Amino acid sequence: MRITSFSFLLFSFFYLTSSVVAQPFFKWNDSIQVKINGSFIVNPWAGGLNFVQASNIDLDLDGIKDLFIFDRTGNKIRTFTNNGILNSTDFKYSPQYESKFPKLHDWAILADYNCDGKEDIFSYSDLGGGFKIYKNISTISEGLQFTLVSALQYSTFNPPNGLLINLYVSSVDIPAITDIDNDGDLDIITFAITGSYLEYHQNKSMELYGTCDSLVYEVKNRCWGFASENNFNNTFTLNDTCSGNITNPGITLLEEDLRSAERHSGSCLLCLDLDGDSDKDLVSGDISFNNLTMLSNGGSPSSCIMTAVDNAFPSNNASTTAVDLSLFPCGYHVDANNDGIKDLIVSPNAPNASENFNSVIYYKNAGTNSSPIFEFQQSNLLQDNMIDLGEGSYPVFFDFDNDGLKDLFIGNYGYYGTTGFKHKIAQFKNTGTLSSPIFELITNDYANMSALGITNMTPSFGDMDADGDSDMIVGGYDGKLHYFQNNALPGATANFVLTQANFKNSNGRIIDIGDFATPQIVDINNDGKNDLIIGGRNGKIAYYNHIGSANTTTPVLDSITHFWGNIKVNMPGYFTGYSYPFLFKQNGITKLLVGGESGYLRFYDSIDGNLNGVFTLIDSTYEGIYQGTRTAPFGADINNDGYMDLIVGNYEGGVSFYKGVSSNITALKQLDDLTPCQFDIFPNPVNTSVIIKISGDKTSTFTVDIFTIIGQHILSEKINNNIKVTINTESLQQGVYICRLSEQTKDGNTKKAIQNKRFVIQH
């Protein structure tokens, strides 16, 4: 199910006391080294890539084009800065820029429409049936910024006096955004809503205003290139008469006929000059097919006619390897090696149904921008320098060789290849020290577990048979569990033996939580015996109590509830949640983090002494951590500094590491009482502005301060009682913020009692 919106339950009310904020605090960190195939990789914690769309943009405004990656898996943006080495694909993962971008979904292409040298955003519209556009308004002083200029782009059909209709591009298609007529502004090529024919929407900015900074589109041609694509495959017919649909763009179907016609099934388009003759040729990828098709333009910029078809692009372009991806490859024209010449990147546009590991193909341009020669370089650009396990990643720390260092195991949904999915657990050995861990990949198929055929492997470790060492339980796609007993001698390297497939409860019935079982072995009720909590596709958490004796060699588990803590992480309108629980102790108090489909983490407390009750949701977007979709958190102090660190898996197949640190928010003593009042913030989440209102007392004067989650002061506003103030948030980046309310005494001093609320900015 596509993620199109997120739920935020963030009207959490809390006080700051003289101690630090009573929750763990994490910061993304890339200092821990990871070695794969004998070499240290550059971006180990970059989070993985699956089905990506690539664009250039200057993220840090240093004059060098960086890389913007949009992954259809979870609509996740990942940003990479260019280290500036000529002729080198040398990028550093830089997540600090990701929150600068607005909320995007389905597809996102960056292109400079107003000729200011800064790439703007074209992305599928929140309103559906077309695309939205954001202008890049970045400055050196303010940094990377965007503003919405069109929520749904329109075009004039049947010019000059025709209907102004949304310029249709489906959520599956990707249009070509380029200057077709070479006049300096950006035009659009897209498949018509009825399919088969390519529509040319000309930007009239230069013709009307003599500048390129406007977005005024009209249909120039409904059968661009006089070529049509077969409705049932990806073959093209050249010299198509287009059934009278064109040559005259004034001849058209009625709008109601267009809207009721069968929709185009899915294509991605790229227009570029491949032969140096100044007109734009076409490269097309289609759903259900594994190749890119190139159509040669034998006409001119003002009069296109396609004269030849190449179904093995770009092999005939440079005697190189043709694109061959399992499903729906798409091409992107970007400079990948910092030589000023745009190369070709190809990636699938079919989530869950195509290559997800070697899925970013890089062709170097050995020619020029106007006459490219694309030469195959690699099939895993960027992926070769990060932990990437295909689709799905479920990390857990476990010292498998008893050397006192926590190692890293990561299960996955699977690697997609020619034979379908292979489901595995990767094993990374910690070869560092107690204070400086280093992880080295030993195998991506620990103990040859792929041979067992368990789909969506989610491992958990803990002593289940009271012999002093950790056993392993693996959850699967079908909602069932598999118990592996550790038969190693004391102090030896773990040796797991499958003892019971389809693990049973105390009544001999197979434990089954529905789909996507994600277990954690943990002593929930503090009785010295490890129990089980299990997340699942339904967004809930099941709790199984160990009812056997403390020294039993066979764990005896009994279901307590399949709706533990009244937790359900599903987003509004979704039947699925993909909950992934991680229970831990902080200062002896039990806390719970839950990952899920939204990509955010939820933080709960009020668990101790309340195992059969309703837990308290403290934060539904914990620490602003967002990793796309189906997040899987796990924590441990892996650098021996006294703080729990956090690792988060996601459905892109990668992992992100967050170092545990102390809170930066200043602690305040509550010496005075606030005058009783109602403190409201709405809407929450916030888009362009937030309203703050104080009501209930008639005489007091309050000050409202807004801080980032790490304590950076943003602004202050005075507010009198029963008067609301509106604060513009367009210039603030997405994330979690704290609104602090303080009150002035009659003598003009500020009371030291502070009331705080959290809110989320979501552009």
Side-chain angles (χ1 to χ4, degrees):
M1 180 177 290
R2 180 181 299 118
I3 297 176
T4 56
S5 63
F6 299 101
S7 63
F8 297 91
L9 305 177
L10 285 174
F11 250 57
S12 309
F13 174 84
F14 66 97
Y15 290 93
L16 298 179
T17 66
S18 57
S19 61
V20 297
V21 177
Q23 64 184 54
F25 182 80
F26 304 99
K27 185 175 182 180
W28 184 85
N29 186 278
D30 65 350
S31 63
I32 295 178
Q33 293 182 297
V34 175
K35 183 181 288 188
I36 295 179
N37 295 328
S39 300
F40 288 108
I41 57 177
V42 177
N43 300 305
W45 312 108
L49 299 173
N50 283 344
F51 315 107
V52 309
Q53 300 150 25
S55 300
N56 285 129
I57 185 173
D58 188 355
L59 296 166
D60 50 7
L61 307 181
D62 65 350
I64 301 174
K65 294 299 182 184
D66 306 303
L67 202 56
F68 166 91
I69 298 292
F70 178 82
D71 200 322
R72 289 195 73 131
T73 302
N75 299 310
K76 183 69 177 86
I77 293 169
R78 298 204 183 273
T79 50
F80 297 81
T81 49
N82 193 330
N83 287 327
I85 300 176
L86 186 64
N87 295 315
S88 176
T89 55
D90 188 11
F91 293 96
K92 180 67 174 175
Y93 180 53
S94 304
Q96 66 268 29
Y97 299 103
E98 293 170 2
S99 62
K100 307 279 188 182
F101 287 85
K103 181 178 172 58
L104 307 173
H105 54 91
D106 296 295
W107 58 266
I109 301 296
L110 307 189
D112 178 14
Y113 82 81
N114 58 351
C115 305
D116 63 355
K118 298 179 289 191
E119 283 76 13
D120 310 294
I121 303 172
F122 294 72
S123 183
Y124 190 64
S125 174
D126 301 332
L127 304 176
F131 58 93
K132 56 185 176 180
I133 303 172
Y134 292 86
K135 182 192 293 187
N136 187 337
I137 57 171
S138 306
T139 62
I140 297 297
S141 59
E142 298 295 332
L144 190 66
Q145 290 185 327
F146 299 92
T147 186
L148 181 67
V149 295
S150 177
L152 181 63
Q153 183 60 47
Y154 286 77
S155 182
T156 300
F157 286 65
N158 309 326
N161 300 311
L163 295 173
L164 193 63
I165 304 174
N166 55 300
L167 202 170
Y168 182 81
V169 179
S170 79
S171 61
V172 179
D173 287 1
I174 298 178
I177 304 170
T178 190
D179 184 3
I180 295 296
D181 52 8
N182 294 336
D183 67 349
D185 52 25
L186 289 182
D187 310 301
I188 304 290
I189 301 292
T190 184
F191 269 101
I193 194 172
T194 51
S196 296
Y197 298 117
L198 293 162
E199 286 183 349
Y200 167 30
H201 293 259
Q202 184 186 36
N203 190 345
K204 304 294 289 185
S205 182
M206 291 299 296
E207 288 83 356
L208 293 174
Y209 310 116
T211 64
C212 59
D213 62 356
S214 297
L215 298 161
V216 183
Y217 288 99
E218 68 174 37
V219 178
K220 185 70 172 177
N221 200 308
R222 285 191 181 277
C223 187
W224 186 67
F226 293 94
S228 61
E229 188 177 40
N230 190 290
N231 285 325
F232 304 101
N233 56 50
N234 64 342
T235 61
F236 280 84
T237 298
L238 303 182
N239 300 307
D240 195 310
T241 60
C242 305
S243 303
N245 195 21
I246 288 302
T247 59
N248 182 353
I251 301 173
T252 180
L253 299 173
L254 296 176
E255 181 193 3
E256 55 266 30
D257 294 331
L258 282 171
R259 299 308 173 193
S260 63
E262 182 180 353
R263 267 52 169 175
H264 182 69
S265 58
S267 295
C268 49
L269 304 175
L270 176 66
C271 287
L272 65 165
D273 187 2
L274 291 168
D275 50 13
D277 62 355
S278 298
D279 57 31
K280 297 297 191 297
D281 307 293
L282 177 72
V283 176
S284 174
D286 282 274
I287 198 168
S288 301
F289 296 93
N290 65 344
N291 65 304
L292 287 180
T293 300
M294 189 268 282
L295 277 66
S296 297
N297 188 348
S300 66
S302 61
S303 180
C304 169
I305 181 167
M306 298 301 177
T307 56
V309 179
D310 178 4
N311 291 314
F313 183 79
S315 63
N316 295 324
N317 174 258
S319 300
T320 190
T321 304
V323 170
D324 184 10
L325 285 170
S326 295
L327 206 64
F328 207 173
C330 295
Y332 306 96
H333 202 206
V334 300
D335 182 3
N337 63 344
N338 197 36
D339 63 355
I341 302 172
K342 289 191 174 183
D343 310 292
L344 179 68
I345 289 179
V346 181
S347 186
N349 195 40
N352 307 313
S354 189
E355 276 86 347
N356 53 30
F357 180 60
N358 293 304
S359 61
V360 186
I361 303 174
Y362 165 43
Y363 290 86
K364 177 183 176 180
N365 186 353
T368 65
N369 284 329
S370 60
S371 187
I373 301 173
F374 295 124
E375 298 177 345
F376 174 80
Q377 302 295 305
Q378 62 183 110
S379 61
N380 58 351
L381 180 68
L382 300 176
Q383 293 171 303
D384 61 339
N385 266 302
M386 63 177 70
I387 296 174
D388 192 328
L389 307 179
E391 276 178 75
S393 62
Y394 313 107
V396 59
F397 293 114
F398 165 63
D399 183 5
F400 81 97
D401 54 2
N402 282 294
D403 64 353
L405 303 176
K406 293 180 177 65
D407 308 294
L408 176 61
F409 287 74
I410 311 175
N412 77 346
Y413 178 81
Y415 301 91
Y416 189 93
T418 56
T419 58
F421 279 96
K422 285 289 187 180
H423 316 278
K424 303 178 181 181
I425 295 177
Q427 175 194 14
F428 291 81
K429 177 177 170 55
N430 188 344
T431 61
T433 65
L434 280 174
S435 59
S436 298
I438 296 173
F439 294 107
E440 181 170 0
L441 178 66
I442 303 301
T443 175
N444 68 1
D445 191 8
Y446 177 66
N448 194 33
M449 290 187 62
S450 63
L452 299 175
I454 302 171
T455 304
N456 198 67
M457 290 191 181
T458 55
S460 182
F461 300 92
D463 188 1
M464 298 298 295
D465 57 4
D467 65 353
D469 57 26
S470 290
D471 307 294
M472 178 172 66
I473 290 178
V474 176
Y477 172 89
D478 59 1
K480 300 179 177 63
L481 306 174
H482 308 277
Y483 173 49
F484 296 78
Q485 190 174 36
N486 187 353
N487 289 339
L489 296 173
T493 297
N495 178 37
F496 296 112
V497 176
L498 179 60
T499 304
Q500 187 178 121
N502 299 323
F503 196 34
K504 296 179 175 62
N505 65 11
S506 60
N507 295 319
R509 298 181 62 181
I510 294 173
I511 296 173
D512 187 349
I513 57 93
D515 297 300
F516 284 86
T518 58
Q520 183 190 2
I521 300 172
V522 60
D523 184 3
I524 295 172
N525 54 6
N526 299 314
D527 64 354
K529 297 175 295 183
N530 276 326
D531 313 296
L532 274 181
I533 53 174
I534 315 163
R537 185 173 181 264
N538 63 6
K540 301 178 181 179
I541 298 174
Y543 166 29
Y544 280 75
N545 181 32
H546 193 323
I547 63 173
S549 64
N551 58 358
T552 183
T553 57
T554 302
V556 183
L557 297 171
D558 194 20
S559 174
I560 301 300
T561 177
H562 276 226
F563 197 12
W564 193 48
N566 202 41
I567 292 171
K568 190 175 183 180
V569 300
N570 304 36
M571 296 178 291
Y574 280 65
F575 295 105
T576 58
Y578 295 94
S579 56
Y580 190 102
F582 171 60
L583 197 73
F584 63 98
K585 296 281 188 181
Q586 183 195 9
N587 299 323
I589 300 173
T590 304
K591 308 284 185 179
L592 177 66
L593 283 174
V594 186
E597 190 167 17
S598 75
Y600 290 95
L601 304 180
R602 295 186 175 214
F603 181 55
Y604 295 86
D605 69 2
S606 302
I607 300 169
D608 291 322
N610 186 37
L611 295 182
N612 297 318
V614 177
F615 302 157
T616 300
L617 176 64
I618 301 300
D619 198 336
S620 61
T621 57
Y622 177 68
E623 295 292 349
I625 294 171
Y626 175 70
Q627 285 300 328
T629 189
R630 301 192 197 178
T631 43
F634 193 88
D637 181 6
I638 65 167
N639 55 6
N640 203 35
D641 64 354
Y643 296 108
M644 183 178 77
D645 306 297
L646 187 68
I647 190 169
V648 182
N650 63 73
Y651 208 62
E652 291 172 272
V655 289
S656 299
F657 178 74
Y658 295 84
K659 186 178 184 297
V661 295
S662 60
S663 175
N664 290 333
I665 300 176
T666 304
L668 297 170
K669 295 182 179 180
Q670 296 178 7
L671 300 180
D672 304 310
D673 292 328
L674 284 172
T675 299
C677 63
Q678 180 69 34
F679 173 27
D680 292 316
I681 302 177
F682 55 94
N684 195 0
V686 177
N687 190 351
T688 58
S689 62
V690 61
I691 299 173
I692 300 170
K693 183 178 180 180
I694 313 298
S695 56
D697 175 75
K698 302 295 183 183
T699 59
S700 300
T701 299
F702 296 88
T703 299
V704 168
D705 293 275
I706 293 179
F707 299 86
T708 67
I709 192 66
I710 61 172
Q712 179 187 3
H713 187 254
I714 301 297
L715 58 84
S716 291
E717 289 282 349
K718 287 284 194 301
I719 181 170
N720 294 320
N721 195 26
N722 291 317
I723 299 177
K724 62 185 180 182
V725 61
T726 300
I727 298 175
N728 189 295
T729 59
E730 287 183 299
S731 63
L732 299 180
Q733 67 184 48
Q734 296 182 104
V736 182
Y737 290 79
I738 295 173
C739 183
R740 187 180 75 181
L741 176 69
S742 57
E743 180 186 359
Q744 286 188 336
T745 61
K746 292 182 179 180
D747 58 5
N749 295 320
T750 300
K751 289 186 177 182
K752 292 183 173 59
I754 302 296
Q755 187 173 340
N756 300 271
K757 285 191 175 183
R758 294 190 179 195
F759 66 96
V760 166
I761 294 178
Q762 175 194 350
H763 297 302

